[in-house]
Amino acid sequence: MSALSELYEEIALCHQCKLAEYRTRVVPGEGAENAEIMFIGEAPGWHEDQQGRPFVGPAGLYLDQLLASINLKREQVYIANVIKCRPLGNRDPLPTEIRNCRKWLERQIELIHPKMIVTLGRYSMAMFFPGKSISKIHGTAQKRDNTMYYAMYHPAAALHQQSLRQAIEADMLKIPSLLAQAETIKEEQPPQQLTMFEV
Ligand code: URA
């Protein structure tokens, strides 16, 4: 069994917060173990909770289209969320839930070791770009710890707002060249021990 599958089994046993009582399925994440790009959303919604897979509802179909615009299929990237269980009624995740779930995302990042981490929406952005505002930094990348961090709007928000839709589509198109330059771009800060920040 791969280290990633073992991790999924561990995540499925997690009962650290109340969300575990209400979930239909845990949604650990999915994609290629050797993916160069890792997309990180917020939390599973109803469709994801039913299927145990990330981004399979309307926002997921849109994410698939965005990936297709840069000739990628979801199987070629890795897709995860900040939290692994659906908050009831699709409410925003609570700080304690984010803290409880953080270790799983850290382990996924260690195992996948992507060249580029793309944050989708403000919850995942807050973990990698603390104190920043998404309207200011979307479409910009920062290199740290030998990894490119790139912030984008959340596909669910962009689906319903024309201006965000144009922004997310343009931001997606920048990914291939950023990835191609990843090795030559200089780090903006000295290496840090933590790649994720407290929210
Ligand atoms: N929104 C998210 O942030 N993640 C999903 O998996 C689905 C919708």
Side-chain angles (χ1 to χ4, degrees):
M1 192 190 271
S2 73
L4 204 48
S5 312
E6 280 176 21
L7 179 62
Y8 294 160
E9 293 205 338
E10 260 188 78
I11 298 175
L13 296 175
C14 181
H15 280 81
Q16 213 176 332
C17 49
K18 272 215 173 298
L19 296 185
E21 289 174 29
Y22 305 114
R23 71 185 176 217
T24 312
R25 311 264 305 259
V26 75
V27 184
E30 68 180 25
E33 197 146 356
N34 61 353
E36 291 193 329
I37 315 176
M38 181 165 178
F39 289 86
I40 305 176
E42 181 179 315
W46 185 86
H47 296 274
E48 292 75 23
D49 174 72
Q50 294 292 309
Q51 295 186 38
R53 299 178 58 209
F55 281 98
V56 289
L61 295 180
Y62 185 42
L63 180 60
D64 288 345
Q65 286 173 24
L66 292 167
L67 288 171
S69 75
I70 54 168
N71 295 318
L72 283 176
K73 294 196 166 67
R74 63 158 57 214
E75 302 75 44
Q76 295 172 282
V77 300
Y78 193 83
I79 304 175
N81 281 307
V82 169
I83 65 171
K84 312 302 187 196
C85 299
R86 177 183 180 230
L88 270 189
N90 293 346
R91 63 159 169 74
D92 289 344
L94 300 174
T96 47
E97 292 162 353
I98 297 176
R99 272 197 296 278
N100 288 342
C101 240
R102 179 189 168 92
K103 58 181 176 297
W104 304 128
L105 188 58
E106 279 174 346
R107 301 237 326 251
Q108 285 172 308
I109 294 171
E110 269 167 34
L111 288 173
I112 308 290
H113 199 60
K115 282 189 184 164
M116 186 169 187
I117 290 183
V118 181
T119 62
L120 299 173
R122 58 204 168 91
Y123 283 91
S124 56
M125 180 196 70
M127 288 181 137
F128 302 96
F129 298 93
K132 301 284 190 215
S133 141
I134 192 146
S135 59
K136 297 226 169 67
I137 67 155
H138 74 88
T140 67
Q142 200 186 78
K143 192 169 174 189
R144 295 192 307 264
D145 329 317
N146 225 10
T147 309
M148 295 276 277
Y149 296 91
Y150 186 61
M152 287 180 45
Y153 284 111
H154 194 287
L159 252 184
H160 304 295
Q161 264 195 64
Q162 191 55 27
S163 61
L164 301 191
R165 202 176 168 122
Q166 282 170 352
I168 200 174
E169 290 175 7
D171 291 346
M172 189 64 128
L173 293 178
K174 293 189 201 165
I175 289 182
S177 62
L178 280 169
L179 196 61
Q181 299 164 37
E183 255 122 66
T184 57
I185 291 179
K186 264 187 60 199
E187 303 248 340
E188 287 181 20
Q189 293 171 5
Q192 311 181 353
Q193 240 192 329
L194 262 191
T195 51
M196 283 162 59
F197 297 87
E198 294 291 341
V199 290

